[in-house]
Amino acid sequence: MSARETILARLKGAAPDKAQADALLIAPERPAVDERALEAEFLARLALPSVSATHDLIDSLADLPAAIARYLEGQGEALTLCLPPDQRLTACDWSGFVLHDHAAPDERAVLAIARKGIAETGSLIFETSPHAPMLPNFLALHHIVLLAAADVAPHLEDAPLPGAQPRAHYWITGVSGTTDIEGTYVRGAHGPRFLHVILLRG
C-alpha cells in the first residue's frame, strides 16, 4: 500500500470524536463580555499579546495633544504628527507639534479617530471620508487612535454603524505581524508596528 493509500484509508476509517463534537455544540458562540464594564473589558483586550496595544485615558478633547506628546516622548519620537483634516481636532492646542495631513511612506506617527471599538476583541472600526483618509493608518510606525468611551460596543454583531454609510470602513485588531517559516514573529510587517489607543471619557 502506498503512502497515499494509507492516508486515505485512515481518513475513511476515522470516526469523529463525539466528546469534541459535543463540546462544540455546548460552547458559547461568543466570549462573555461584562456589559456593565465595557471600558475595562475593551482595555483588557487591548493588552492581550494577540492585540499588543497600549492605551491612555483622557477626560476631554483638550487633553489630546498632551496625551500624544507623552506617548511620542516616551517612544523617543519627535512631536511630528500626521493629523487628519477633521474639524473636531482643529480646536485643540497643537503648540510644539509639527503637523501635516499627508503621510509619507516612512511616516513616524499618525492620528486617526475610530468610529467604534469592540470589547469582545479589542477591535477598532474606522470609516473613510474626505476628513478620514485611510492610507496614513497603514504607513506610519506609530498608529495613534482616538476613541470615545461611549463608542465601545460589547460584541462584533453590535458593530453596525448608524446613519449614512461611508464609502468603505475597515477593522483593525492590534498591530500587524507575520511569522516566517522558522517561527520568528515579525511585528509591523504589513503596517504600523505600534498601536496606541487614547480613550476619551468626556
Side-chain angles (χ1 to χ4, degrees), residues 39 42-43 55-59 145-150 152 197-202:
E39 180 180 308
F42 177 71
L43 295 179
H55 75 272
D56 198 354
L57 304 171
I58 58 175
D59 294 319
V145 177
L146 176 66
L147 173 68
V152 176
V197 178
I198 299 176
L199 201 62
L200 173 61
R201 286 173 160 171

Side-chain angles (χ1 to χ4, degrees), residues 29 47 49 106 110:
E29 292 185 7
D106 59 348
V110 64

Side-chain angles (χ1 to χ4, degrees), residues 70-124:
R70 278 196 303 273
Y71 173 75
L72 291 177
E73 289 169 351
Q75 296 291 325
E77 299 285 356
L79 298 185
T80 300
L81 184 66
C82 181
L83 193 73
D86 191 304
Q87 292 183 350
R88 291 170 289 182
L89 303 175
T90 57
C92 294
D93 181 5
W94 297 102
S95 300
F97 281 83
V98 176
L99 302 176
H100 51 279
D101 60 7
H102 289 83
D106 59 348
E107 195 67 44
R108 303 300 292 178
V110 64
L111 174 65
I113 300 177
R115 180 74 181 268
K116 271 187 177 290
I118 305 298
E120 175 184 352
T121 58
S123 301
L124 297 158

Side-chain angles (χ1 to χ4, degrees), residues 115-118 125 153 155-162 169 171:
R115 180 74 181 268
K116 271 187 177 290
I118 305 298
I125 305 176
H155 294 99
L156 296 172
E157 58 267 37
D158 301 316
L161 306 176
H169 65 265
W171 299 47

Side-chain angles (χ1 to χ4, degrees), residues 114-139:
R115 180 74 181 268
K116 271 187 177 290
I118 305 298
E120 175 184 352
T121 58
S123 301
L124 297 158
I125 305 176
F126 301 86
E127 62 183 18
T128 58
S129 78
H131 306 298
M134 178 174 63
L135 185 59
N137 297 322
F138 296 95
L139 291 178

